[in-house]
Amino acid sequence: MPRGRYSLHDPHDHTPLTEEHFQCAPGPSGWRYVSQLTGPGGAHRGSVDLALDDLGRPIRLELHAGGWQVRGAALDGVTWVRTDPAGLEATEGNVPAHAFTGTSPAFLVATARLLRLTPSSSAIRVRLVALTDPVLAPRTVDQSWALIDREAHATDNGPLLVDEYQVTDLDTGERHAVHIAGDVVLSAPGIELEDLQTPPSTFP
């Protein structure tokens, strides 16, 4: 069960945003990721709880940020309920999309798990519902994912396979690289892995 800490920063000017203390693990029916978010001063900023089924589909998502809450799952596309900080109003949403995304590294692992690309695969287009900080506002985005390299790196625990993905925002044409080992993001725009107490899990 990997445990560790990511630091999240603005990918443009590198302003520190949050730290994400996480643990994750595959199970008999899929994969689960939980984390707590803190600000630069240590104040609690929110949490992430994401569970995937064995095919990589989100069967349960619960996000908290800025007093807002979103609960969602893959149902007729993806469906969610967003609740305001006062808890007085709940807004439902549904979009014919494949999964969710957001600032947490969990969503990069989840998308890679859903697509299951190989180095010989063509790029795949995927539609996602982005839940954007600081109020978890939903926005539909279209991306293209391609696995462009897979390398084995020697470690004390045996070879570690690192996948390099090229992710393209199809609305803007902007491209960036994402490096993932098992169920841990090693690097991505705005994301740095600062601490990892146990090796990444490997999916069957």
Side-chain angles (χ1 to χ4, degrees):
M1 179 184 293
R3 296 172 181 263
R5 175 173 54 89
Y6 294 109
S7 64
L8 309 183
H9 57 266
D10 187 301
H12 302 291
D13 61 13
H14 301 287
T15 301
L17 299 175
T18 58
E19 288 196 341
E20 187 160 341
H21 300 260
F22 73 94
Q23 61 185 50
C24 56
S29 60
W31 180 73
R32 188 176 180 199
Y33 176 103
V34 294
S35 69
Q36 297 292 323
L37 307 178
T38 58
H44 181 69
R45 282 278 184 88
S47 62
V48 178
D49 188 341
L50 173 64
L52 308 179
D53 68 10
D54 195 44
L55 297 177
R57 299 171 300 193
I59 55 175
R60 188 182 70 256
L61 170 66
E62 185 169 332
L63 298 181
H64 295 265
W68 294 84
Q69 174 185 282
V70 169
R71 291 182 176 177
L75 182 65
D76 296 327
V78 294
T79 300
W80 68 91
V81 177
R82 178 171 175 264
T83 307
D84 68 298
L88 301 176
E89 297 184 11
T91 304
E92 296 184 10
N94 173 265
V95 170
H98 299 93
F100 296 98
T101 190
T103 56
S104 173
F107 294 113
L108 296 174
V109 176
T111 302
R113 183 65 180 156
L114 177 70
L115 299 179
R116 303 189 186 211
L117 297 170
T118 66
S120 61
S121 301
S122 300
I124 293 181
R125 178 177 179 143
V126 60
R127 174 161 289 182
L128 305 169
V129 173
L131 300 165
T132 57
D133 291 339
V135 296
L136 302 179
R139 181 172 61 91
T140 303
V141 298
D142 291 304
Q143 295 179 345
S144 170
W145 280 61
L147 177 57
I148 61 174
D149 194 22
R150 173 172 285 164
E151 290 188 357
H153 295 261
T155 71
D156 293 340
N157 298 305
L160 179 68
L161 287 179
V162 177
D163 289 339
E164 180 183 352
Y165 294 90
Q166 183 180 83
V167 181
T168 304
D169 184 324
L170 296 179
D171 291 330
T172 64
E174 182 179 356
R175 292 181 176 179
H176 60 266
V178 173
H179 293 84
I180 297 175
D183 56 357
V184 172
V185 176
L186 302 181
S187 67
I191 298 170
E192 295 292 340
L193 179 63
E194 301 288 355
D195 178 52
L196 184 63
Q197 298 176 17
T198 48
S201 301
T202 56
F203 292 107

